[in-house]
Amino acid sequence: QGEYQESDSGASCYFAQHIKGSTTHGTTFKAEVHEPWRDYDVSVNSIWYKAQTSSDALAAQTDFEIMCFAEDDWATQALHAAVTSPNFAPPPGPNGVILNQTLALQGAIGLVRTLDKTPPTVSLTIAAPASTESSLEVTMNIDEAGTLYCLPLERNTPAPHISAITSFALSIVCANPIGCSGVVLTVPDLLKGFDYDVHCFAEDDNVYPQVPNGVVLPVLPARVNDITPPIITIHGSESPKRDLIVVTLQLDEEGTVYCYSPTNTGDPTLVSDVVSYGSVVPISAADVDGHVKVEVTKRGSQVLSLIEETSYVTYCAAKDSTTNPDCSGCTVPNLSNLQEISDARDSIGALTTLDESPPSFTQLGARGIGETAIRVTFSLNEPGTTYCRAVRTDVGEASVDLNVVIAAQFFANNDGNNLTTIDIDKEVNDLSYPLLDSGTGYDVYCWSQDEAAMSSCRPDTPTNGSACVETASPNYMLQSYVDAVFSASTYPPQTASPADGGRIDMVRTWDTTPPTLVYISAESRSETSITVVLQLNEPGTAYCRAYNDTQNATDLIVADIAAAPNGPFGFELPSDSSMRIYAAHAYRDFEITVTGLTREVLYFVYCAAEDDEA
């Protein structure tokens, strides 16, 4: 404006020429005024540059100074008048306003701001920051001052109304009139690993009386990062079999879970060990947040089977299946770290694999300890309880049912290390049953159950890690083992170590009662002998001896009687059963003749007997 001049129409910046503009450059803005003192509109939409070689459209929402020039049409009217004066001389041109008048009018008009009816030009990009799994970042480039509004919705949700986007209260402002570049809007509070469509709307900063110009922008699809491994929640663990540990757990996302037991509870364990050698269970979408059982059957890096009745710790690791497609610099998939697998180990607890093997006798034997008692001596290969029953050998039982053995109720606990005894004095430990018979053979059947228990654990406080319990799950000797003879080469009263079975044949009670010798008669049938008629109540041997005078019977023993001169003079009543005290000729007369005597001499004959117990 300060360069306008009116003195030289051929020089640069001649104000009238510049204001009139150029039709070539589209900068001629004028109105033909046909009536004075009437309003006329002149629309200006371009600016002609000083060099008069180019022009540009007026920028929106920009302050401009308006320069106006007016001239009359006197020259045109004079030249084309129907009648002219004889003194008429053609005028040099129209009469125009001077520069000061133009400047005065410009001052009166003042600054005029163009309207803004065009939405801003906006370009957006979206990304998932590598450091978070709960937000996305929208980066905006905008060509004028304005505001960007965004609304995240689940992928493939129908497009929301503009009012829903602007009322969500997630926006960022560009206050620079010429726009902003690289402005970042953080979209917070999103779900890990979730697919979203981010709907955005931008508008400029027009104010009344203008209205903002807005534009709905293309939908931005993106996935929130998952930068943490799945969370393992342990619900319980148990060892229901000799070579099996079962861990019940859940994951909060899809992936794979690995569980691993080292050979020894104190072995150092790395995450790579768990992944390389552990049991593997894939977790599908249907399994997420549900109870999943992981079965561990192997131990250590050698991948050997678990050992029965052995304590193990178990580590579990989880790896997700995330890809983080909208993240630059993310490492996927995510895998549990050492602390997390150690925490899982503590929640699982130390489990002892189940003892599924029945107990066996490491030593077993039986012997009579009295006329009505048998003592069983035994030890087991593990702690347990043993039941025994005596059955008369002459009954001929080839097998005794386990329930019958237990029902006898002669039992004792054994610690698996030391010898234990059971004394049996009846077939059934009940007052209504008679005592065992003396000198009688019995077959003793013994059966045992161990104290096996199933280990199970539940998570406890972080300090305690887990709370474990033992549930009784005893193993029982089989019928075939109980029926098997305890030894093929050892016999009562000796013990077998180890025993081949639980049956001890022909265990005899003692016979500590002397036989009953019944006197029937005595006579001398020759000059040098005396014959005595006697009876025995059981198998044994009777002896007689003649003395010249009376003897103190309490001082005599069987050996004294058997040591008779020219003797011994005796009779043996044989046993007719190896299983009990029995002679078919008991209480039948037999004779013992004492010889080598002198005739007509008074003799006192003493007789004694002993049974056949060894």
Side-chain angles (χ1 to χ4, degrees), residues 1 49 99 149 505 531 538:
Q1 175 183 336
Y49 291 109
L99 178 58
Y149 302 88
D505 288 342
T531 299
E538 62 176 299

Side-chain angles (χ1 to χ4, degrees), residues 14-31:
Y14 182 66
F15 83 103
Q17 181 184 9
H18 199 267
I19 293 172
K20 288 181 178 181
S22 165
T23 56
T24 301
H25 295 120
T27 56
T28 299
F29 310 106
K30 65 180 181 177

Side-chain angles (χ1 to χ4, degrees), residues 99-124:
L99 178 58
N100 283 339
Q101 291 174 314
T102 294
L103 294 176
L105 180 61
Q106 182 270 324
I109 295 173
L111 293 176
V112 179
R113 175 167 294 186
T114 53
L115 299 179
D116 181 2
K117 293 186 176 182
T118 303
T121 299
V122 180
S123 64
L124 301 178

